[in-house]
Amino acid sequence: MTSTAVRKVGPVKATAPSTVGNHLRNYVSRVRGGDIGALPAVLGLLVLCTVFSVMRPSFLSAVNFANLFTQGAAVTLIAMGLVFVLLLGEIDLSAGFASGVCAAVLANIVTVAGYPWYVAVLAAILTGLVIGLALGFLVAKVGIPSFVVTLAAFLAFQGIVLLLISGGSNISVRDKVLVAIANRNLPPVLGWLFFAVVVGGYAATQLLRHRKRIRRGLVTDPFPVVLARIGGLAVILGVAVYILNLERSRNVLISSLKGVPIVVPIIAALLVLWTFVLQRTAYGRHVYAVGGNKEAARRAGINVDRIRISVFVICSTMAAIGGIVAASRANSVDPNTGGSNVLLYAVGAAVIGGTSLFGGKGRVLDAVLGGAVVAVIDNGMGLMGYSSGVKYVVTGVVLLLAASVDAFSRRRAAATGTR
C-alpha cells in the first residue's frame, strides 16, 4: 500500500511587469511575434495628417477638423458592424445598400407618411435587423457561402432602394431631429461634459481593472503605463474638444457654428457598447472562439449557427444606423444612398484598422481608426484637388497594404508559435 503526502499549495501569483522597461520589451516582443494590432493604422494616420497639414495648412483648420467627423461617420458606423462578420472570417457585401434600404424606409415613414422621427428611426433599425436575420439564416442554416448570399443581396437591395423612392427621384428629410444628427453640434458646455464623461469613465475602468488584477495575482501593466493611457486619451480628446468648440462660422452675426458634432457622442456610445459586448461578455468570447476555430467551438458546446446569424444581425443593424446618419447628412435619400464607394470604404476601414480578413482577430475600435484613415485620405486629397479616381487608387493601395500586413503578421505569429 502506498501513501501519498498531501501538500497544501497556496495561490500561485503571476509576476507582473515591475517596470515600464519590462512592459515595453514585452510589447516589442509581441510586435515581432506578429501581434501588431492597430499599430499600422495609428502610424499611417499620423503620417497622413502630417503630410496633408504640411501641403495644405487648411487641413487642420477647425472647420475641416469638424468636417472629418461628419464626413466619415456613416462609413465608420457600417464598418463597426462589419467587424463582427469579419471576426468569423465571413463577409457582407450588402452592408452598403442595406444602409440605403433602411435610409429609404426612414425617409418614406417620416416624410411621405408623416410619422414622428422616432417611429421612422425604429422602423429603419428593425428593417436592418430583419435583413441581418435573413442573411444569417441563409448562411448558417441553408449553408450558402456568405460571399454569394451578400452579393445577391447587394444586387437586390439596389432595386429595393429604387422601388422605395419611386425610381430615380429622391425623398427629402426635413425633420429637425433627424437633420441635427449629422449637421448640428453640441453646445460647448456639453462638449466639455462629454470630455469629462469619456475620460472619467475610461480612467475608472482602467484603474479598477488594474486593481482587480493585482488582487487576483494576475499579470498587469505597470501603473505608470495605465496613467499614460489615461493621460494620452485626456490630451487627445481635450485638444479635439477645444478645436471643435472654436467658432467656425464666417459670419457670427448671421449664425454661430461651434461645438462637438452630435454624431461624435453617438459613435462613442456605440463604440463603448460593442467593445463591452466583445471583450466583457460570454457572447463576445464565443464570437472570437468561432472565428478562431469553428469546429473546436462547436465541440466546446457553442451554438455556432446562432453566433453566425447574430453577427449578420449586428452588421445589418449597424448598417441601418449608418444609413440614418447618411440620410441626415445629405438631408435626403436618393438611389446612390449606401452605394458608390460606401461598402468599399467600410470594409477598407475595418481591415485598415487591424481587423483580420481571416477571422478571429479584431476590435470595434479598429473600425473607428480605419474610418479615420479613410476619411483623412478622402478629405486631404480633396483639399489638394485630386480627382475621385486618384482617391480610389490611393485608398485601394492603403487597403492592399493593410491586408498584406495582416497576412504577414499571421505568418509571423504562426512561425513564432504565438497564435
Side-chain angles (χ1 to χ4, degrees):
M1 179 176 180
T2 59
S3 61
T4 304
V6 179
R7 181 167 56 93
K8 186 176 181 179
V9 180
V12 178
K13 291 191 176 182
T15 303
S18 57
T19 65
V20 176
N22 288 339
H23 178 80
L24 292 176
R25 281 190 289 272
N26 290 339
Y27 177 73
V28 171
S29 176
R30 291 199 305 271
V31 171
R32 288 179 176 177
D35 184 12
I36 58 177
L39 181 62
V42 174
L43 294 178
L45 190 60
L46 292 174
V47 170
L48 288 169
C49 289
T50 302
V51 171
F52 289 137
S53 300
V54 171
M55 302 187 72
R56 285 291 184 275
S58 60
F59 176 79
L60 286 182
S61 66
V63 174
N64 193 63
F65 189 60
N67 286 339
L68 283 172
F69 288 100
T70 56
Q71 184 177 346
V75 167
T76 300
L77 289 167
I78 296 172
M80 290 167 70
L82 280 166
V83 167
F84 284 83
V85 174
L86 293 174
L87 279 173
L88 297 194
E90 306 284 359
I91 190 65
D92 186 354
L93 299 177
S94 68
F97 274 112
S99 71
V101 170
C102 297
V105 170
L106 173 90
N108 271 285
I109 291 178
V110 77
T111 300
V112 179
Y115 284 95
W117 66 269
Y118 49 85
V119 176
V121 169
L122 180 61
I125 293 176
L126 287 176
T127 301
L129 189 147
V130 171
I131 289 174
L133 279 173
L135 296 177
F137 178 83
L138 291 172
V139 172
K141 295 298 185 180
V142 180
I144 307 174
S146 60
F147 178 86
V148 177
V149 170
T150 58
L151 178 60
F154 171 84
L155 298 172
F157 291 162
Q158 294 181 62
I160 293 175
V161 171
L162 289 173
L163 293 173
L164 288 174
I165 62 175
S166 302
S169 62
N170 65 359
I171 302 176
S172 298
V173 176
R174 297 178 180 176
D175 183 271
K176 292 183 179 180
V177 175
L178 294 177
V179 171
I181 293 174
N183 295 285
R184 297 290 183 267
N185 308 297
L186 297 175
V189 174
L190 290 183
W192 286 116
L193 178 61
F194 168 69
F195 164 81
V197 170
V198 172
V199 175
Y202 181 75
T205 302
Q206 289 292 309
L207 293 174
L208 288 174
R209 180 174 181 269
H210 180 78
R211 183 180 179 183
K212 185 181 295 184
R213 291 183 69 85
I214 289 178
R215 283 183 174 180
R216 294 179 178 179
L218 302 174
V219 174
T220 187
D221 297 331
F223 191 65
V225 173
V226 176
L227 292 180
R229 290 197 188 112
I230 298 170
L233 176 65
V235 170
I236 294 173
L237 188 57
V239 170
V241 172
Y242 172 78
I243 294 175
L244 292 171
N245 279 343
L246 295 175
E247 184 60 63
R248 304 192 292 271
S249 176
R250 294 184 178 181
N251 192 334
V252 183
L253 297 177
I254 297 177
S255 64
S256 178
L257 183 62
K258 58 183 177 181
V260 176
I262 292 175
V263 74
V264 173
I266 294 175
I267 294 176
L270 289 169
L271 172 62
V272 171
L273 169 65
W274 294 126
T275 298
F276 176 81
V277 168
L278 277 181
Q279 298 185 0
R280 293 287 184 269
T281 66
Y283 171 79
R285 293 189 290 272
H286 291 172
V287 170
Y288 283 111
V290 175
N293 190 320
K294 184 168 63 177
E295 186 56 35
R298 180 179 284 108
R299 293 182 179 182
I302 296 174
N303 191 326
V304 174
D305 287 347
R306 183 179 299 173
I307 295 296
R308 295 178 76 191
I309 293 173
S310 68
V311 296
F312 281 97
V313 170
I314 292 173
C315 182
S316 295
T317 302
M318 289 300 296
I321 298 174
I324 294 170
V325 171
S328 171
R329 185 167 185 262
N331 293 342
S332 65
V333 175
D334 59 51
N336 289 323
T337 302
S340 185
N341 56 8
V342 172
L343 172 67
L344 302 180
Y345 277 5
V347 175
V351 176
I352 290 170
T355 299
S356 176
L357 286 168
F358 303 97
K361 186 182 78 172
R363 303 171 300 168
V364 180
L365 179 62
D366 296 341
V368 177
L369 293 173
V373 172
V374 171
V376 165
I377 292 174
D378 190 53
N379 182 277
M381 298 195 74
L383 290 176
M384 294 174 64
Y386 287 106
S387 65
S388 297
V390 177
K391 294 179 187 178
Y392 289 150
V393 170
V394 173
T395 307
V397 170
V398 172
L399 174 58
L400 183 61
L401 288 174
S404 301
V405 169
D406 177 33
F408 173 78
S409 65
R410 286 178 64 86
R411 287 200 301 270
R412 182 68 178 172
T416 56
T418 58
R419 187 178 177 83

